[in-house]
Amino acid sequence: MQGPLTGVVVLDLSRALAGPHAAQMLGDLGARVIKIEHPQGGDESRGWGPPFVGPDGDISTYFLAANRNKQSITLDLKASDDRDTLTRLIRHSDVLIENFRSGVLARLGFSTERIEELNPRMVLLSITGFGHDGPEGGRPGYDQIAQGEAGLMSITGPPGQPHRAGPSIADLLAGIHGAYGVAAALYEREKTGKGGVIRTSLLASVVGVHAYHGTQWTVAGQVPQANGNHHASIAPFGAFRCGDGMIQIAAGNDGHWQKVATLLGIDPARPEYATNRDRFAHRDELVNEMEKVLTTETRDHWLGALAEAGVPAGSIRTIDEVYTWDQTRSQGLLAEVDHPVLGPIELPGPVLRFDHHTSQDHTAPPALGADNDAVLDWLKGKEAP
Protein backbone atom coordinates (compact mmCIF):
# COMPACT_ATOMS: atom_id res chain seq x y z
CA MET A 1 0.00 0.00 0.00
CA GLN A 2 1.04 3.56 -0.74
CA GLY A 3 -0.04 6.53 1.33
CA PRO A 4 1.13 9.37 3.59
CA LEU A 5 2.69 6.87 6.03
CA THR A 6 4.42 4.67 3.47
CA GLY A 7 7.72 3.50 4.95
CA VAL A 8 6.49 3.62 8.55
CA VAL A 9 6.57 0.25 10.32
CA VAL A 10 4.02 -0.36 13.08
CA LEU A 11 4.17 -3.18 15.62
CA ASP A 12 0.65 -3.96 16.80
CA LEU A 13 0.78 -5.80 20.13
CA SER A 14 -2.79 -4.86 20.94
CA ARG A 15 -5.90 -6.96 20.79
CA ALA A 16 -9.69 -6.69 20.76
CA LEU A 17 -10.66 -3.31 19.32
CA ALA A 18 -9.11 -0.02 20.52
CA GLY A 19 -5.48 -0.77 19.65
CA PRO A 20 -6.24 -2.82 16.54
CA HIS A 21 -8.46 -0.02 15.23
CA ALA A 22 -5.63 2.50 15.71
CA ALA A 23 -3.20 0.21 13.90
CA GLN A 24 -5.68 -0.40 11.10
CA MET A 25 -6.07 3.35 10.58
CA LEU A 26 -2.29 3.68 10.25
CA GLY A 27 -2.29 0.78 7.81
CA ASP A 28 -4.95 2.53 5.75
CA LEU A 29 -2.50 5.43 5.45
CA GLY A 30 0.19 3.19 4.00
CA ALA A 31 2.11 2.05 7.10
CA ARG A 32 3.35 -1.52 7.25
CA VAL A 33 1.54 -3.05 10.23
CA ILE A 34 2.90 -6.21 11.83
CA LYS A 35 0.36 -7.71 14.20
CA ILE A 36 2.01 -9.72 16.97
CA GLU A 37 -0.24 -12.44 18.43
CA HIS A 38 0.10 -15.27 20.91
CA PRO A 39 0.54 -18.63 19.16
CA GLN A 40 -2.39 -20.11 21.08
CA GLY A 41 -5.48 -18.45 19.66
CA GLY A 42 -4.01 -15.03 18.91
CA ASP A 43 -6.10 -11.91 19.36
CA GLU A 44 -9.10 -12.92 21.47
CA SER A 45 -11.44 -11.18 19.05
CA ARG A 46 -10.74 -14.04 16.63
CA GLY A 47 -13.12 -15.98 18.86
CA TRP A 48 -15.76 -13.27 19.28
CA GLY A 49 -19.10 -13.82 17.61
CA PRO A 50 -21.59 -14.58 16.26
CA PRO A 51 -21.50 -14.20 13.41
CA PHE A 52 -18.78 -16.56 12.28
CA VAL A 53 -18.24 -17.27 8.59
CA GLY A 54 -16.20 -19.56 6.36
CA PRO A 55 -16.50 -23.22 5.45
CA ASP A 56 -15.63 -24.27 9.01
CA GLY A 57 -17.60 -21.47 10.65
CA ASP A 58 -14.50 -20.26 12.50
CA ILE A 59 -13.76 -16.81 11.05
CA SER A 60 -14.99 -13.96 13.24
CA THR A 61 -16.51 -10.98 11.43
CA TYR A 62 -15.60 -8.95 14.53
CA PHE A 63 -11.91 -9.65 13.90
CA LEU A 64 -12.31 -8.84 10.21
CA ALA A 65 -13.57 -5.36 11.10
CA ALA A 66 -10.34 -4.16 12.78
CA ASN A 67 -7.43 -5.93 11.13
CA ARG A 68 -7.20 -5.20 7.42
CA ASN A 69 -3.84 -4.16 5.94
CA LYS A 70 -1.83 -6.12 8.52
CA GLN A 71 0.59 -9.01 8.67
CA SER A 72 0.32 -11.55 11.51
CA ILE A 73 3.20 -13.19 13.30
CA THR A 74 3.03 -15.33 16.43
CA LEU A 75 5.25 -14.67 19.44
CA ASP A 76 4.96 -15.91 23.01
CA LEU A 77 6.41 -13.02 24.98
CA LYS A 78 7.01 -15.28 27.98
CA ALA A 79 9.52 -17.26 25.88
CA SER A 80 13.05 -15.86 25.68
CA ASP A 81 13.53 -16.58 21.97
CA ASP A 82 10.32 -14.78 21.08
CA ARG A 83 11.21 -11.85 23.32
CA ASP A 84 14.48 -11.67 21.40
CA THR A 85 12.52 -11.50 18.15
CA LEU A 86 10.39 -8.66 19.50
CA THR A 87 13.57 -6.88 20.59
CA ARG A 88 14.87 -7.08 17.03
CA LEU A 89 11.57 -5.86 15.62
CA ILE A 90 11.54 -2.88 17.96
CA ARG A 91 14.99 -1.85 16.74
CA HIS A 92 13.76 -1.67 13.15
CA SER A 93 10.24 -0.27 13.57
CA ASP A 94 8.74 3.16 14.08
CA VAL A 95 5.60 2.67 16.15
CA LEU A 96 4.54 0.19 18.82
CA ILE A 97 0.89 -0.05 19.90
CA GLU A 98 -0.14 -1.87 23.08
CA ASN A 99 -3.25 -2.02 25.24
CA PHE A 100 -2.11 -4.29 28.05
CA ARG A 101 -3.09 -3.41 31.59
CA SER A 102 -0.68 -0.95 33.18
CA GLY A 103 2.67 -2.56 33.97
CA VAL A 104 2.21 -5.77 31.96
CA LEU A 105 4.55 -4.83 29.12
CA ALA A 106 7.22 -3.77 31.60
CA ARG A 107 6.95 -7.11 33.43
CA LEU A 108 7.55 -8.82 30.10
CA GLY A 109 10.83 -6.93 29.82
CA PHE A 110 9.71 -4.04 27.64
CA SER A 111 9.34 -1.01 29.86
CA THR A 112 9.14 2.39 28.19
CA GLU A 113 12.74 2.96 29.25
CA ARG A 114 13.84 -0.33 27.67
CA ILE A 115 11.98 0.44 24.44
CA GLU A 116 13.57 3.90 24.25
CA GLU A 117 16.98 2.32 24.84
CA LEU A 118 16.41 -0.14 21.99
CA ASN A 119 15.09 2.51 19.62
CA PRO A 120 15.16 6.19 20.63
CA ARG A 121 13.01 7.01 17.56
CA MET A 122 10.22 4.64 18.59
CA VAL A 123 6.74 6.11 19.04
CA LEU A 124 4.89 4.10 21.69
CA LEU A 125 1.09 4.28 21.86
CA SER A 126 -0.34 2.90 25.12
CA ILE A 127 -4.11 2.54 25.45
CA THR A 128 -5.68 1.64 28.79
CA GLY A 129 -9.18 1.49 30.17
CA PHE A 130 -9.06 4.32 32.71
CA GLY A 131 -5.56 5.78 32.38
CA HIS A 132 -2.10 4.49 33.19
CA ASP A 133 -2.00 6.13 36.63
CA GLY A 134 -4.32 7.74 39.17
CA PRO A 135 -6.36 5.99 41.86
CA GLU A 136 -8.02 3.62 39.37
CA GLY A 137 -5.32 3.47 36.73
CA GLY A 138 -4.94 -0.29 36.97
CA ARG A 139 -8.57 -1.13 36.27
CA PRO A 140 -9.27 -3.37 33.29
CA GLY A 141 -11.34 -1.57 30.71
CA TYR A 142 -14.03 -2.86 28.41
CA ASP A 143 -16.11 -0.64 26.19
CA GLN A 144 -19.49 -0.94 27.86
CA ILE A 145 -18.03 -0.40 31.33
CA ALA A 146 -16.21 2.68 30.06
CA GLN A 147 -19.40 3.98 28.43
CA GLY A 148 -21.09 3.82 31.80
CA GLU A 149 -18.21 5.18 33.87
CA ALA A 150 -17.54 8.04 31.44
CA GLY A 151 -21.14 9.26 31.51
CA LEU A 152 -22.10 8.32 27.97
CA MET A 153 -24.86 5.91 28.95
CA SER A 154 -26.49 8.54 31.16
CA ILE A 155 -27.14 10.78 28.14
CA THR A 156 -28.07 8.01 25.69
CA GLY A 157 -31.54 6.57 25.17
CA PRO A 158 -34.93 7.61 26.54
CA PRO A 159 -35.00 9.81 29.65
CA GLY A 160 -34.35 7.81 32.80
CA GLN A 161 -33.29 4.66 30.90
CA PRO A 162 -29.50 4.59 30.39
CA HIS A 163 -28.47 2.88 27.15
CA ARG A 164 -25.13 1.88 25.67
CA ALA A 165 -24.30 3.35 22.28
CA GLY A 166 -24.69 0.70 19.58
CA PRO A 167 -21.08 0.50 18.40
CA SER A 168 -18.22 -0.03 20.85
CA ILE A 169 -17.66 3.69 20.68
CA ALA A 170 -15.27 4.03 23.66
CA ASP A 171 -12.91 1.51 22.06
CA LEU A 172 -13.22 3.08 18.63
CA LEU A 173 -12.68 6.62 19.89
CA ALA A 174 -9.60 5.49 21.81
CA GLY A 175 -8.27 3.97 18.61
CA ILE A 176 -9.01 7.11 16.59
CA HIS A 177 -7.44 9.38 19.20
CA GLY A 178 -4.46 7.05 19.45
CA ALA A 179 -3.84 7.10 15.70
CA TYR A 180 -4.12 10.90 15.76
CA GLY A 181 -1.51 11.00 18.52
CA VAL A 182 0.83 8.71 16.59
CA ALA A 183 0.61 10.93 13.51
CA ALA A 184 1.47 13.98 15.64
CA ALA A 185 4.40 12.17 17.29
CA LEU A 186 5.78 11.05 13.92
CA TYR A 187 5.62 14.65 12.71
CA GLU A 188 7.40 15.86 15.85
CA ARG A 189 10.04 13.16 15.40
CA GLU A 190 10.96 14.70 12.07
CA LYS A 191 12.00 17.83 13.96
CA THR A 192 13.56 16.32 17.09
CA GLY A 193 14.81 12.93 15.91
CA LYS A 194 13.23 11.32 18.96
CA GLY A 195 10.14 9.25 19.50
CA GLY A 196 8.05 9.30 22.64
CA VAL A 197 5.15 7.83 24.56
CA ILE A 198 1.50 8.66 23.83
CA ARG A 199 -1.12 7.61 26.35
CA THR A 200 -4.87 7.59 25.98
CA SER A 201 -7.71 5.58 27.46
CA LEU A 202 -11.31 4.61 26.92
CA LEU A 203 -12.24 7.03 29.71
CA ALA A 204 -10.28 9.92 28.19
CA SER A 205 -11.64 9.32 24.72
CA VAL A 206 -15.27 9.43 25.83
CA VAL A 207 -14.81 12.43 28.13
CA GLY A 208 -12.97 14.11 25.27
CA VAL A 209 -16.11 14.05 23.10
CA HIS A 210 -18.61 15.18 25.73
CA ALA A 211 -18.51 18.56 23.95
CA TYR A 212 -21.57 20.65 24.88
CA HIS A 213 -22.75 17.99 27.31
CA GLY A 214 -19.52 18.61 29.22
CA THR A 215 -19.83 22.38 29.32
CA GLN A 216 -23.47 22.05 30.33
CA TRP A 217 -22.06 20.79 33.64
CA THR A 218 -18.64 22.45 33.90
CA VAL A 219 -19.89 25.94 33.01
CA ALA A 220 -23.65 25.99 33.56
CA GLY A 221 -23.73 23.61 36.51
CA GLN A 222 -26.49 21.49 35.00
CA VAL A 223 -26.31 17.69 34.86
CA PRO A 224 -27.12 16.63 31.27
CA GLN A 225 -30.04 14.24 30.83
CA ALA A 226 -30.88 11.76 28.11
CA ASN A 227 -33.09 13.19 25.39
CA GLY A 228 -33.94 10.08 23.41
CA ASN A 229 -33.97 10.87 19.71
CA HIS A 230 -34.04 14.64 20.14
CA HIS A 231 -31.18 17.13 20.40
CA ALA A 232 -30.07 18.32 23.84
CA SER A 233 -30.05 22.02 22.88
CA ILE A 234 -31.96 22.59 19.62
CA ALA A 235 -35.63 22.21 18.66
CA PRO A 236 -37.08 20.90 16.48
CA PHE A 237 -34.12 18.62 15.89
CA GLY A 238 -34.63 14.87 16.04
CA ALA A 239 -36.67 11.89 14.90
CA PHE A 240 -40.37 12.29 14.15
CA ARG A 241 -43.16 9.81 13.41
CA CYS A 242 -44.69 9.85 9.94
CA GLY A 243 -47.50 7.81 8.42
CA ASP A 244 -45.27 4.79 7.73
CA GLY A 245 -42.27 5.15 10.00
CA MET A 246 -39.87 7.84 11.15
CA ILE A 247 -37.77 10.60 9.61
CA GLN A 248 -35.28 13.02 11.04
CA ILE A 249 -35.62 16.79 10.82
CA ALA A 250 -32.83 19.19 11.81
CA ALA A 251 -34.02 22.78 12.10
CA GLY A 252 -30.65 24.14 13.12
CA ASN A 253 -31.60 27.80 12.90
CA ASP A 254 -34.65 30.08 12.81
CA GLY A 255 -34.68 30.05 9.01
CA HIS A 256 -35.01 26.28 8.95
CA TRP A 257 -37.72 26.46 11.59
CA GLN A 258 -39.75 28.95 9.58
CA LYS A 259 -39.65 26.64 6.57
CA VAL A 260 -40.68 23.61 8.67
CA ALA A 261 -43.49 25.54 10.32
CA THR A 262 -44.82 26.85 7.00
CA LEU A 263 -44.72 23.36 5.50
CA LEU A 264 -46.66 21.90 8.45
CA GLY A 265 -49.14 24.76 8.80
CA ILE A 266 -47.78 26.05 12.12
CA ASP A 267 -47.36 29.76 12.81
CA PRO A 268 -43.56 30.15 13.26
CA ALA A 269 -44.02 33.44 15.15
CA ARG A 270 -46.13 32.03 17.99
CA PRO A 271 -44.53 33.24 21.22
CA GLU A 272 -43.81 29.71 22.46
CA TYR A 273 -42.04 28.86 19.16
CA ALA A 274 -40.46 32.17 18.13
CA THR A 275 -36.85 31.40 19.14
CA ASN A 276 -34.87 28.25 19.74
CA ARG A 277 -34.96 28.93 23.48
CA ASP A 278 -38.75 29.14 23.31
CA ARG A 279 -39.08 26.06 21.15
CA PHE A 280 -36.83 24.01 23.40
CA ALA A 281 -38.81 25.04 26.49
CA HIS A 282 -41.98 23.79 24.75
CA ARG A 283 -40.36 20.88 22.92
CA ASP A 284 -42.84 18.17 23.90
CA GLU A 285 -45.76 20.31 22.80
CA LEU A 286 -43.96 21.18 19.56
CA VAL A 287 -43.13 17.54 18.74
CA ASN A 288 -46.76 16.51 19.30
CA GLU A 289 -48.05 19.30 17.10
CA MET A 290 -45.61 18.45 14.31
CA GLU A 291 -46.36 14.73 14.44
CA LYS A 292 -50.10 15.34 14.11
CA VAL A 293 -49.36 16.64 10.64
CA LEU A 294 -46.43 14.38 9.76
CA THR A 295 -48.43 11.20 10.42
CA THR A 296 -50.90 12.15 7.69
CA GLU A 297 -48.33 11.39 4.95
CA THR A 298 -45.51 8.96 4.23
CA ARG A 299 -41.81 9.33 4.88
CA ASP A 300 -41.06 9.72 1.18
CA HIS A 301 -43.63 12.50 0.88
CA TRP A 302 -42.12 14.50 3.72
CA LEU A 303 -38.50 13.87 2.75
CA GLY A 304 -39.29 15.19 -0.73
CA ALA A 305 -41.13 18.23 0.63
CA LEU A 306 -38.42 19.04 3.16
CA ALA A 307 -35.69 18.72 0.52
CA GLU A 308 -37.59 21.07 -1.77
CA ALA A 309 -37.95 23.54 1.10
CA GLY A 310 -34.23 23.36 1.86
CA VAL A 311 -34.58 21.83 5.32
CA PRO A 312 -31.97 19.26 6.44
CA ALA A 313 -33.78 15.93 6.85
CA GLY A 314 -33.13 12.25 6.38
CA SER A 315 -34.30 8.71 6.76
CA ILE A 316 -33.18 6.22 9.41
CA ARG A 317 -31.41 3.50 7.50
CA THR A 318 -30.64 -0.03 8.59
CA ILE A 319 -27.03 -1.15 8.26
CA ASP A 320 -27.74 -3.12 5.08
CA GLU A 321 -29.33 -0.04 3.54
CA VAL A 322 -26.26 2.04 4.40
CA TYR A 323 -23.89 -0.32 2.60
CA THR A 324 -26.06 -0.58 -0.51
CA TRP A 325 -26.65 3.19 -0.67
CA ASP A 326 -25.08 4.78 -3.74
CA GLN A 327 -23.77 7.69 -1.66
CA THR A 328 -21.90 5.38 0.73
CA ARG A 329 -20.31 3.52 -2.14
CA SER A 330 -19.41 6.72 -3.98
CA GLN A 331 -17.32 7.83 -0.99
CA GLY A 332 -15.09 4.76 -0.98
CA LEU A 333 -16.46 3.61 2.35
CA LEU A 334 -16.21 -0.06 1.40
CA ALA A 335 -12.91 -1.80 0.84
CA GLU A 336 -12.89 -4.97 -1.25
CA VAL A 337 -10.22 -7.46 -0.21
CA ASP A 338 -9.32 -10.95 -1.33
CA HIS A 339 -9.49 -13.17 1.73
CA PRO A 340 -7.52 -16.45 1.49
CA VAL A 341 -10.50 -18.49 2.73
CA LEU A 342 -13.57 -16.37 2.04
CA GLY A 343 -12.47 -15.02 -1.36
CA PRO A 344 -13.49 -11.47 -2.34
CA ILE A 345 -15.28 -9.73 0.55
CA GLU A 346 -16.19 -6.15 1.37
CA LEU A 347 -15.16 -4.50 4.63
CA PRO A 348 -16.06 -1.10 6.09
CA GLY A 349 -13.40 1.07 4.50
CA PRO A 350 -11.15 3.99 5.47
CA VAL A 351 -12.76 7.34 6.21
CA LEU A 352 -10.07 9.65 4.82
CA ARG A 353 -9.53 10.52 1.18
CA PHE A 354 -6.42 12.29 -0.08
CA ASP A 355 -6.75 14.00 -3.44
CA HIS A 356 -3.07 13.45 -4.25
CA HIS A 357 -3.25 9.70 -3.53
CA THR A 358 -5.24 7.43 -5.80
CA SER A 359 -7.51 4.83 -4.22
CA GLN A 360 -5.55 2.06 -2.57
CA ASP A 361 -5.72 -1.69 -2.74
CA HIS A 362 -6.29 -3.19 0.69
CA THR A 363 -5.25 -6.55 2.09
CA ALA A 364 -7.50 -8.91 4.00
CA PRO A 365 -7.17 -9.44 7.76
CA PRO A 366 -4.53 -12.15 8.15
CA ALA A 367 -4.80 -15.69 9.40
CA LEU A 368 -2.99 -16.29 12.67
CA GLY A 369 0.76 -16.44 12.01
CA ALA A 370 0.29 -16.23 8.25
CA ASP A 371 3.28 -13.93 7.84
CA ASN A 372 5.81 -15.47 10.22
CA ASP A 373 8.29 -16.29 7.45
CA ALA A 374 7.77 -13.05 5.52
CA VAL A 375 8.31 -10.84 8.56
CA LEU A 376 11.36 -12.78 9.77
CA ASP A 377 12.86 -12.60 6.27
CA TRP A 378 12.26 -8.84 6.23
CA LEU A 379 13.89 -8.56 9.64
CA LYS A 380 16.95 -10.49 8.49
CA GLY A 381 17.24 -8.14 5.55
CA LYS A 382 17.17 -5.11 7.84
CA GLU A 383 19.91 -6.64 9.98
CA ALA A 384 22.15 -7.71 7.09
CA PRO A 385 25.51 -5.88 7.01
Short mmCIF file of all heavy atoms in Angstrom, two decimals, residues 304-326:
data_model
loop_
_atom_site.label_atom_id
_atom_site.label_comp_id
_atom_site.label_asym_id
_atom_site.label_seq_id
_atom_site.Cartn_x
_atom_site.Cartn_y
_atom_site.Cartn_z
N GLY A 304 -39.28 14.41 0.51
CA GLY A 304 -39.29 15.19 -0.73
C GLY A 304 -39.65 16.64 -0.47
O GLY A 304 -39.03 17.57 -1.00
N ALA A 305 -40.69 16.86 0.35
CA ALA A 305 -41.13 18.23 0.63
C ALA A 305 -40.08 19.01 1.41
O ALA A 305 -39.84 20.20 1.14
CB ALA A 305 -42.45 18.18 1.41
N LEU A 306 -39.45 18.36 2.37
CA LEU A 306 -38.42 19.04 3.16
C LEU A 306 -37.20 19.36 2.31
O LEU A 306 -36.59 20.44 2.45
CB LEU A 306 -38.03 18.17 4.35
CG LEU A 306 -39.09 18.05 5.45
CD1 LEU A 306 -38.83 16.84 6.34
CD2 LEU A 306 -39.14 19.33 6.30
N ALA A 307 -36.82 18.45 1.42
CA ALA A 307 -35.69 18.72 0.52
C ALA A 307 -36.00 19.91 -0.38
O ALA A 307 -35.15 20.78 -0.59
CB ALA A 307 -35.39 17.47 -0.31
N GLU A 308 -37.21 19.95 -0.90
CA GLU A 308 -37.59 21.07 -1.77
C GLU A 308 -37.58 22.39 -1.01
O GLU A 308 -37.23 23.44 -1.55
CB GLU A 308 -38.98 20.81 -2.36
CG GLU A 308 -39.40 21.83 -3.40
CD GLU A 308 -40.72 21.46 -4.07
OE1 GLU A 308 -41.19 20.31 -3.90
OE2 GLU A 308 -41.28 22.34 -4.75
N ALA A 309 -37.93 22.33 0.28
CA ALA A 309 -37.95 23.54 1.10
C ALA A 309 -36.55 23.93 1.60
O ALA A 309 -36.38 25.01 2.16
CB ALA A 309 -38.87 23.33 2.30
N GLY A 310 -35.58 23.06 1.41
CA GLY A 310 -34.23 23.36 1.86
C GLY A 310 -33.99 23.12 3.33
O GLY A 310 -33.12 23.76 3.94
N VAL A 311 -34.73 22.16 3.90
CA VAL A 311 -34.58 21.83 5.32
C VAL A 311 -33.78 20.54 5.46
O VAL A 311 -34.14 19.53 4.84
CB VAL A 311 -35.96 21.67 6.00
CG1 VAL A 311 -35.78 21.23 7.45
CG2 VAL A 311 -36.75 22.97 5.92
N PRO A 312 -32.72 20.50 6.25
CA PRO A 312 -31.97 19.26 6.44
C PRO A 312 -32.87 18.18 7.05
O PRO A 312 -33.51 18.39 8.09
CB PRO A 312 -30.86 19.65 7.41
CG PRO A 312 -30.70 21.12 7.24
CD PRO A 312 -32.08 21.63 6.96
N ALA A 313 -32.93 17.03 6.39
CA ALA A 313 -33.78 15.93 6.85
C ALA A 313 -33.21 14.63 6.30
O ALA A 313 -32.38 14.63 5.39
CB ALA A 313 -35.22 16.12 6.40
N GLY A 314 -33.64 13.53 6.86
CA GLY A 314 -33.13 12.25 6.38
C GLY A 314 -33.92 11.09 6.91
O GLY A 314 -34.73 11.22 7.83
N SER A 315 -33.66 9.94 6.31
CA SER A 315 -34.30 8.71 6.76
C SER A 315 -33.45 8.07 7.85
O SER A 315 -32.36 8.55 8.18
CB SER A 315 -34.47 7.75 5.58
OG SER A 315 -33.22 7.48 4.98
N ILE A 316 -33.94 7.00 8.42
CA ILE A 316 -33.18 6.22 9.41
C ILE A 316 -32.93 4.86 8.78
O ILE A 316 -33.82 4.01 8.73
CB ILE A 316 -33.96 6.10 10.73
CG1 ILE A 316 -34.24 7.50 11.30
CG2 ILE A 316 -33.18 5.25 11.73
CD1 ILE A 316 -35.11 7.50 12.54
N ARG A 317 -31.73 4.69 8.28
CA ARG A 317 -31.41 3.50 7.50
C ARG A 317 -30.95 2.35 8.40
O ARG A 317 -30.29 2.57 9.42
CB ARG A 317 -30.30 3.80 6.49
CG ARG A 317 -30.68 4.83 5.44
CD ARG A 317 -29.50 5.16 4.53
NE ARG A 317 -29.85 6.25 3.63
CZ ARG A 317 -30.36 6.08 2.42
NH1 ARG A 317 -30.55 4.85 1.96
NH2 ARG A 317 -30.65 7.11 1.67
N THR A 318 -31.24 1.14 7.97
CA THR A 318 -30.64 -0.03 8.59
C THR A 318 -29.23 -0.20 8.02
O THR A 318 -28.87 0.41 7.00
CB THR A 318 -31.48 -1.28 8.32
OG1 THR A 318 -31.61 -1.45 6.88
CG2 THR A 318 -32.87 -1.16 8.93
N ILE A 319 -28.42 -1.01 8.68
CA ILE A 319 -27.03 -1.15 8.26
C ILE A 319 -26.94 -1.67 6.82
O ILE A 319 -26.10 -1.20 6.03
CB ILE A 319 -26.27 -2.09 9.21
CG1 ILE A 319 -26.14 -1.45 10.61
CG2 ILE A 319 -24.88 -2.44 8.67
CD1 ILE A 319 -25.28 -0.21 10.65
N ASP A 320 -27.80 -2.62 6.45
CA ASP A 320 -27.74 -3.12 5.08
C ASP A 320 -28.08 -2.03 4.08
O ASP A 320 -27.48 -1.95 2.99
CB ASP A 320 -28.67 -4.33 4.90
CG ASP A 320 -30.11 -4.01 5.25
OD1 ASP A 320 -30.36 -3.39 6.30
OD2 ASP A 320 -31.01 -4.39 4.47
N GLU A 321 -28.99 -1.15 4.44
CA GLU A 321 -29.33 -0.04 3.54
C GLU A 321 -28.17 0.93 3.40
O GLU A 321 -27.95 1.50 2.33
CB GLU A 321 -30.57 0.69 4.07
CG GLU A 321 -31.84 -0.13 3.96
CD GLU A 321 -33.03 0.53 4.65
OE1 GLU A 321 -32.81 1.27 5.65
OE2 GLU A 321 -34.16 0.31 4.20
N VAL A 322 -27.41 1.13 4.47
CA VAL A 322 -26.26 2.04 4.40
C VAL A 322 -25.24 1.53 3.40
O VAL A 322 -24.72 2.28 2.56
CB VAL A 322 -25.61 2.20 5.79
CG1 VAL A 322 -24.31 2.99 5.68
CG2 VAL A 322 -26.56 2.88 6.76
N TYR A 323 -24.95 0.22 3.44
CA TYR A 323 -23.89 -0.32 2.60
C TYR A 323 -24.30 -0.54 1.15
O TYR A 323 -23.44 -0.73 0.29
CB TYR A 323 -23.33 -1.61 3.21
CG TYR A 323 -22.45 -1.33 4.40
CD1 TYR A 323 -22.86 -1.61 5.69
CD2 TYR A 323 -21.20 -0.74 4.24
CE1 TYR A 323 -22.07 -1.32 6.78
CE2 TYR A 323 -20.40 -0.44 5.32
CZ TYR A 323 -20.84 -0.74 6.60
OH TYR A 323 -20.04 -0.44 7.67
N THR A 324 -25.60 -0.50 0.88
CA THR A 324 -26.06 -0.58 -0.51
C THR A 324 -26.43 0.79 -1.08
O THR A 324 -26.78 0.90 -2.25
CB THR A 324 -27.27 -1.52 -0.64
OG1 THR A 324 -28.31 -1.08 0.26
CG2 THR A 324 -26.89 -2.96 -0.29
N TRP A 325 -26.32 1.82 -0.27
CA TRP A 325 -26.65 3.19 -0.67
C TRP A 325 -25.58 3.71 -1.64
O TRP A 325 -24.38 3.62 -1.38
CB TRP A 325 -26.71 4.05 0.58
CG TRP A 325 -27.21 5.45 0.43
CD1 TRP A 325 -27.94 5.97 -0.59
CD2 TRP A 325 -27.00 6.51 1.36
NE1 TRP A 325 -28.21 7.29 -0.36
CE2 TRP A 325 -27.65 7.65 0.84
CE3 TRP A 325 -26.35 6.59 2.60
CZ2 TRP A 325 -27.66 8.87 1.50
CZ3 TRP A 325 -26.36 7.81 3.25
CH2 TRP A 325 -27.01 8.94 2.72
N ASP A 326 -26.02 4.27 -2.74
CA ASP A 326 -25.08 4.78 -3.74
C ASP A 326 -24.13 5.82 -3.16
O ASP A 326 -22.96 5.88 -3.53
CB ASP A 326 -25.84 5.39 -4.93
CG ASP A 326 -26.53 4.34 -5.78
OD1 ASP A 326 -26.17 3.16 -5.66
OD2 ASP A 326 -27.42 4.71 -6.57
#
